C-alpha cells in the first residue's frame, strides 16, 4: 500500500514539475501540456506492458497520477465553450495520439 501511495505521489510531482517547466512555452490553443503528458503516459504504459507480463499496481498508479484525465475533460469542455472546432480537434488529437503512442510503446 505504501509503494502505491509513493508511486502516485511521484506521478503527481512529475506532472507538476513538467507543467511548471513548460507552461509559458506552449501557446497553442490545441496542443497543451495535458496533451503532452497524456501521450507520454500512454507511451510509458505501452512500453511497460511490452516488457512484462504482469501489471504493477505501483506503476499503474504512477501513470494514473501522472496522466491528467480530469484536466483533459476540463480542457475539452472549456474549449467547447470557446470554440467547438478547437474542442473537437483537441479531443481527436488527444485520443488519437495517446492511442498511437501506446501502440508504439508496445512495439518497442
Amino acid at each position: 500500500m505504501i509503494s502505491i501511495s509513493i508511486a502516485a505521489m511521484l506521478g503527481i510531482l512529475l506532472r507538476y514539475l513538467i507543467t511548471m517547466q513548460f507552461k509559458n512555452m506552449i501557446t497553442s490553443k490545441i496542443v497543451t501540456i495535458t496533451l503532452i503528458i497524456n501521450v507520454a503516459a500512454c507511451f510509458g504504459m505501452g512500453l511497460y506492458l511490452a516488457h512484462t507480463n504482469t501489471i504493477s499496481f505501483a506503476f499503474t498508479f504512477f501513470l494514473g497520477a501522472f496522466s491528467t484525465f480530469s484536466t483533459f475533460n476540463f480542457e475539452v469542455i472549456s474549449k467547447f465553450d470557446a470554440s467547438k472546432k478547437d474542442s473537437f480537434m483537441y479531443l481527436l488529437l488527444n485520443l488519437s495520439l495517446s492511442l498511437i503512442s501506446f501502440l508504439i510503446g508496445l512495439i518497442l
Side-chain angles (χ1 to χ4, degrees), residues 6-42:
I6 291 170
M9 289 187 316
L10 291 173
I12 292 167
L13 178 62
L14 182 59
R15 181 181 71 215
Y16 174 77
L17 293 173
I18 290 172
T19 300
M20 291 298 107
Q21 182 68 32
F22 295 104
K23 70 179 182 179
N24 294 328
M25 294 180 179
I26 299 175
T27 58
S28 171
K29 291 181 182 179
I30 304 299
V31 177
T32 64
I33 294 169
T34 303
L35 170 69
I36 293 166
I37 288 173
N38 287 346
V39 169
C42 288

Side-chain angles (χ1 to χ4, degrees), residues 17-81:
L17 293 173
I18 290 172
T19 300
M20 291 298 107
Q21 182 68 32
F22 295 104
K23 70 179 182 179
N24 294 328
M25 294 180 179
I26 299 175
T27 58
S28 171
K29 291 181 182 179
I30 304 299
V31 177
T32 64
I33 294 169
T34 303
L35 170 69
I36 293 166
I37 288 173
N38 287 346
V39 169
C42 288
F43 176 76
M45 181 57 82
L47 199 60
Y48 176 77
L49 290 176
H51 298 339
T52 184
N53 292 333
T54 60
I55 296 177
S56 162
F57 283 110
F59 191 72
T60 302
F61 274 78
F62 169 79
L63 286 179
F66 176 63
S67 65
T68 52
F69 191 70
S70 58
T71 305
F72 163 67
N73 287 323
F74 173 76
E75 288 179 353
V76 168
I77 297 302
S78 63
K79 288 178 187 319
F80 187 79
D81 290 339

